[in-house]
């Protein structure tokens, strides 16, 4: 054999996968040889079992056994070439039980000898005829635990009755009439069970990762909602503080203006009094000088002119009306309270509108529901009355004779919001309706009939259709109307988007079926109401505070 080994070359003993000298070589049915570990890893990473060299397929993974002849040749080649596949045992490796100085990594364990061997010390088990009969296995620790403690035989069977591993003698002696299966069969069953459990745990891990993503997304939404609420709060309180500052400035300005007018009047009276005092002093001086004269003729001649009375005002009844400031602050506070009440109400409506706008949905009109005289835009966002009816099939979905149309989208839970532009129109109806509403004949729009709507009629009459039209007061003519629905709370609210005013709210209802956004542009009215109703994109900047 030694002579023959000298004729071998390294290329003849190389594994086609790892490109190294064979280590525990196995032979496939097609005749090609590979390291056992290499071919098993190759098949584990593939969906089918093929020979890497010739691509021949096998029905299932083979029970491969080491080709001892090729293994011996590979071992002798390594020895003759001064090579060894032995590796120093590391943490986690099974060490060779024979090595004394440096423990090498075991490559096989013998269930008869109850020992593990490195490549070098395994050689006798591969060459000696007596040792070749021993049962070898992949290196394992605690070989004593793999032997039957009663019969000192390898544990090769599994007793399903006692759920324990047994040797070949146990079913005959100690486990009579028990259900016993080969250990490999139980191994495959348990491995399959472990695979299922692994898949289940993998699914649980994925579920929890998705849950984390969901929680993070919820946290993000919560943070965005908090930021929006803070922004709305800052805007509301800033507006209120500005109102307070204006009211304070108006109060101080009014008091200062009134006080300034009083001071002006007082200064005018004082100037007049001081002028009369000056004239009286001058008159007194002249009289005093004349009284000292000893010239009889002079005194007589000038007395008449000096005796004339000085023209003065009778100041007895003259008073300056000083203003009273009592109650001024109270009056200002009362006015401020009324103003702030209106302001706060409006700001709350604006804040509600901002929150509603977070649930904006994208709508398109459903042409299958539109009355034959309605004209829809190509993108399904606009509708107006076209006077002439189109020749359309009058299906059960189509409104007739009411000039109405529904959106394609429906909602049966949660919240949603949309806006419709109604600028330059004298008549329109907006809201939501149940899927089951009657679409043929003249049906009064009201909640009892499955409609929650408001309308404009005759260019100035706004009303909520609650059975009979309930007139609505508007501060300005709405050019864009927002509709908010909370399905679960049974609430439908209408807003004047630009003014931020709440027009009306239907509340306390219990929705039980799909809700569809409802639109009616009204009749053309000889061109007076020709402008379309437009489903507009929600824009927060439309709201004015």
């Amino acid at each position: 054999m030694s002579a023959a080994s000298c004729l071998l070359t390294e290329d003849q003993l190389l594994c086609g996968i790892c490109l190294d000298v064979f280590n525990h070589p196995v032979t496939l049915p097609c005749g090609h040889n590979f390291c056992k570990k290499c071919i098993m890893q190759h098949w584990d990473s593939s969906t089918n079992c093929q020979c890497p060299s010739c691509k021949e397929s096998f029905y299932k993974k083979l029970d491969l056994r080491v080709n001892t002849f090729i293994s011996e040749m590979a071992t002798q080649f390594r020895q003759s070439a001064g090579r060894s596949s032995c590796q120093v045992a590391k943490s986690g490796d099974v060490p060779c039980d024979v090595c004394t100085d440096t423990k090498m990594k075991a490559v096989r364990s013998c269930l008869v000898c109850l020992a593990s061997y490195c490549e070098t010390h395994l050689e006798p088990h591969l060459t000696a005829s007596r040792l070749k009969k021993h049962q070898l296995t992949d290196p394992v620790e605690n070989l004593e635990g793999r032997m039957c403690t009663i019969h000192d035989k390898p544990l090769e069977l599994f007793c399903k009755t006692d759920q324990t591993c047994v040797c070949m003698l146990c079913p005959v002696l100690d486990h009579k009439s028990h259900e016993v299966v080969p250990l490999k069969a139980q191994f495959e069953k348990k491995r399959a069970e472990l695979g299922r459990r692994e898949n289940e745990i993998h699914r649980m891990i994925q579920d929890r990762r998705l849950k984390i993503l969901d929680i993070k997304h919820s946290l993000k939404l919560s943070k965005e909602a908090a930021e929006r609420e803070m922004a709305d709060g800052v805007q509301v309180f800033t507006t209120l503080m500005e109102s307070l500052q204006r009211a304070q400035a108006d109060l101080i300005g009014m008091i200062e203006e009134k006080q300034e007018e009083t001071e002006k009047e007082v200064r005018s009276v004082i100037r007049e009094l001081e002028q009369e005092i000056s004239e009286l002093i001058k008159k007194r001086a002249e009289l005093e000088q004349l009284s000292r004269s000893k010239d009889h003729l002079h005194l007589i001649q000038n007395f008449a002119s000096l005796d004339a009375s000085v023209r003065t005002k009778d100041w007895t009844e003259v008073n300056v009306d000083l203003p009273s400031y009592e109650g001024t602050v109270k009056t200002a506070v009362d006015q401020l309270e009324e103003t702030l009440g209106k302001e706060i109400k409006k700001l709350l409506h604006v804040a509600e509108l901002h929150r509603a706008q977070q649930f904006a949905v994208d709508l398109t009109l459903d042409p299958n529901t539109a009355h034959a005289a309605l004209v829809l835009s190509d993108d399904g966002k606009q509708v107006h009355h076209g006077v002439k009816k189109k020749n359309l099939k009058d299906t059960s979905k189509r409104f007739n004779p009411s000039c109405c149309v529904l959106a394609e989208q429906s909602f049966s839970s949660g919240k949603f919001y949309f806006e419709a532009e109604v600028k330059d129109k004298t008549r329109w109806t907006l809201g939501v309706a149940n899927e089951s509403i009657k679409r043929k004949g003249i049906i009064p729009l009201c909640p009892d009939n499955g409609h929650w709507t408001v309308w404009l009629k005759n260019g100035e009459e706004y009303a909520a259709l609650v059975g009979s039209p309930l007139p609505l007061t508007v501060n300005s003519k709405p050019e864009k109307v927002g509709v908010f629905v909370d399905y679960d709370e049974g609430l439908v609210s209408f807003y004047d988007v630009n003014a931020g005013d709440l027009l009306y709210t239907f509340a306390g209802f219990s929705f039980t079926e799909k809700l569809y956004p409802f639109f009616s542009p009204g009749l053309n009215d000889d061109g007076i109401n020709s402008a379309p109703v437009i489903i507009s994109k929600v824009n927060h900047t439309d709201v004015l505070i």
Side-chain angles (χ1 to χ4, degrees):
M1 176 64 69
S2 60
S5 66
C6 297
L7 301 176
L8 295 174
T9 64
E10 183 175 7
D11 292 341
Q12 294 173 300
L13 297 173
L14 289 183
C15 170
I17 297 177
C18 67
L19 301 180
D20 199 357
V21 176
F22 286 122
N23 187 9
H24 302 104
V26 294
T27 303
L28 303 186
C30 61
H32 292 106
N33 303 294
F34 303 94
C35 298
K36 184 176 181 180
K37 182 177 180 181
C38 293
I39 190 63
M40 295 304 294
Q41 288 179 345
H42 176 74
W43 285 348
D44 287 341
S45 63
S46 179
T47 56
N48 53 7
C49 298
Q50 284 185 335
C51 172
S53 296
C54 66
K55 305 302 181 185
E56 180 178 341
S57 297
F58 309 109
Y59 176 67
K60 61 179 181 179
K61 289 184 180 180
L62 305 173
D63 184 13
L64 300 175
R65 298 188 179 183
V66 175
N67 187 321
T68 56
F69 177 72
I70 299 177
S71 179
E72 289 175 5
M73 293 178 64
T75 301
Q76 290 180 14
F77 178 82
R78 279 195 292 268
Q79 291 175 347
S80 64
R83 299 175 56 178
S84 175
S85 61
C86 292
Q87 300 177 7
V88 177
K90 298 178 182 177
S91 176
D93 292 336
V94 177
C96 176
D97 292 323
V98 181
C99 294
T100 55
D101 296 332
T102 301
K103 288 287 186 180
M104 306 305 288
K105 178 181 177 181
V107 293
R108 301 290 279 173
S109 294
C110 178
L111 297 180
V112 178
C113 301
L114 296 182
S116 297
Y117 303 101
C118 64
E119 188 77 34
T120 301
H121 294 120
L122 180 65
E123 186 63 26
H125 279 75
L126 301 178
T127 57
S129 58
R130 178 177 58 83
L131 297 177
K132 283 183 180 181
K133 297 178 181 180
H134 288 191
Q135 184 176 353
L136 299 177
T137 183
D138 290 334
V140 292
E141 294 181 321
N142 187 27
L143 285 167
E144 292 81 2
R146 293 177 173 269
M147 302 299 291
C148 178
T149 56
I150 299 174
H151 308 110
D152 199 28
K153 296 291 184 181
L155 299 173
E156 300 179 276
L157 302 174
F158 181 78
C159 177
K160 298 179 73 173
T161 304
D162 292 338
Q163 291 292 301
T164 185
C165 296
V166 297
C167 69
M168 297 296 290
L169 293 178
C170 287
V172 179
L173 301 175
D174 303 305
H175 292 262
K176 292 180 180 180
S177 72
H178 288 189
E179 185 179 359
V180 178
V181 296
L183 192 62
K184 183 178 180 181
Q186 185 69 10
F187 165 78
E188 294 295 340
K189 180 180 178 180
K190 291 299 182 181
R191 185 163 68 173
E193 183 179 338
L194 286 174
R196 290 192 296 271
R197 291 183 62 185
E198 182 181 358
N199 290 335
E200 177 65 18
I201 292 174
H202 178 72
R203 185 189 63 77
M204 293 171 64
I205 291 171
Q206 292 301 108
D207 289 345
R208 281 150 182 76
R209 284 175 176 169
L210 290 175
K211 191 65 176 179
I212 290 173
L213 292 177
D214 184 52
I215 292 172
K216 286 183 177 179
H217 180 65
S218 298
L219 179 61
K220 180 183 177 183
L221 294 180
S222 175
K223 183 178 180 181
E224 291 174 352
E227 290 174 349
R228 288 194 300 269
E229 200 69 14
M230 284 189 288
D232 287 344
V234 170
Q235 192 172 26
V236 167
F237 282 97
T238 299
T239 303
L240 292 178
M241 286 189 287
E242 289 174 353
S243 297
L244 287 171
Q245 290 169 351
R246 284 196 301 270
Q248 181 187 34
D250 290 344
L251 173 63
I252 294 173
M254 182 201 60
I255 294 174
E256 289 178 343
E257 183 179 356
K258 187 180 290 188
Q259 181 62 23
E260 186 177 341
E261 290 177 356
T262 301
E263 290 178 359
K264 183 178 179 181
E265 182 181 354
V266 168
R267 286 195 296 270
S268 177
V269 171
I270 291 174
R271 280 197 302 271
E272 190 176 352
L273 284 169
E274 287 177 344
Q275 185 176 355
E276 288 192 4
I277 290 172
S278 178
E279 292 177 356
L280 289 172
I281 290 174
K282 182 179 178 182
K283 191 68 173 179
R284 186 183 65 182
E286 291 176 353
L287 289 174
E288 185 179 352
Q289 183 180 0
L290 183 61
S291 66
R292 291 195 189 102
S293 176
K294 295 181 179 180
D295 187 341
H296 300 157
L297 181 61
H298 175 72
L299 187 146
I300 295 299
Q301 290 177 338
N302 290 283
F303 180 80
S305 60
L306 293 176
D307 189 42
S309 299
V310 179
R311 293 181 180 180
T312 58
K313 183 187 290 188
D314 184 3
W315 294 94
T316 306
E317 302 298 329
V318 175
N319 291 302
V320 176
D321 294 328
L322 299 177
S324 173
Y325 297 104
E326 184 177 353
T328 302
V329 174
K330 183 179 182 305
T331 301
V333 170
D334 290 342
Q335 292 176 348
L336 176 62
E337 184 178 2
E338 181 179 356
T339 301
L340 287 180
K342 295 178 181 178
E343 194 74 32
I344 290 172
K345 188 175 181 180
K346 178 179 179 180
L347 290 171
L348 289 176
H349 289 161
V350 171
E352 290 174 3
L353 177 56
H354 278 169
R355 283 191 290 271
Q357 287 177 327
Q358 310 308 316
F359 300 96
V361 293
D362 185 24
L363 300 180
T364 50
L365 300 172
D366 184 359
N368 295 320
T369 65
H371 183 272
L374 294 182
V375 179
L376 276 59
S377 62
D378 292 339
D379 62 359
K381 300 294 185 182
Q382 301 185 26
V383 58
H384 70 274
H385 184 246
V387 182
K388 293 184 179 180
K389 293 178 64 174
K390 298 183 288 293
N391 186 19
L392 299 174
K393 185 177 180 180
D394 191 17
T395 64
S396 59
K397 289 185 176 182
R398 193 177 304 283
F399 286 97
N400 189 22
S402 299
C403 289
C404 308
V405 61
L406 300 179
E408 292 182 335
Q409 294 75 18
S410 64
F411 305 88
S412 56
S413 65
K415 304 177 180 69
F416 66 94
Y417 173 86
F418 63 92
E419 292 179 356
E421 187 176 318
V422 291
K423 185 178 180 181
D424 300 327
K425 295 192 66 61
T426 59
R427 190 183 187 95
W428 50 260
T429 305
L430 295 172
V432 293
N434 280 334
E435 183 179 29
S436 63
I437 57 171
K438 295 181 180 180
R439 308 187 190 190
K440 307 300 179 185
I442 303 299
I443 309 298
L445 301 182
C446 63
D448 288 343
N449 292 331
H451 310 82
W452 291 266
T453 57
V454 298
W455 76 7
L456 167 64
K457 185 179 178 182
N458 300 326
E460 58 183 16
E461 299 174 16
Y462 295 89
L465 306 183
V466 295
S468 59
L470 175 66
L472 302 178
T473 301
V474 298
N475 297 322
S476 59
K477 186 174 181 178
E479 295 185 352
K480 187 179 291 186
V481 175
V483 182
F484 172 70
V485 178
D486 188 332
Y487 190 99
D488 302 324
E489 292 295 326
L491 176 146
V492 183
S493 295
F494 297 83
Y495 294 90
D496 178 348
V497 174
N498 297 105
D501 293 332
L502 175 67
L503 299 177
Y504 187 76
T505 293
F506 293 91
F509 292 90
S510 179
F511 301 129
T512 58
E513 55 182 285
K514 292 180 181 179
L515 291 180
Y516 285 83
F518 177 96
F519 305 85
S520 175
L523 300 180
N524 182 278
D525 196 13
D526 296 327
I528 296 175
N529 190 41
S530 61
V533 170
I534 304 173
I535 299 174
S536 56
K537 184 178 180 181
V538 175
N539 187 352
H540 291 238
T541 58
D542 288 341
V543 183
L544 302 177
I545 295 183

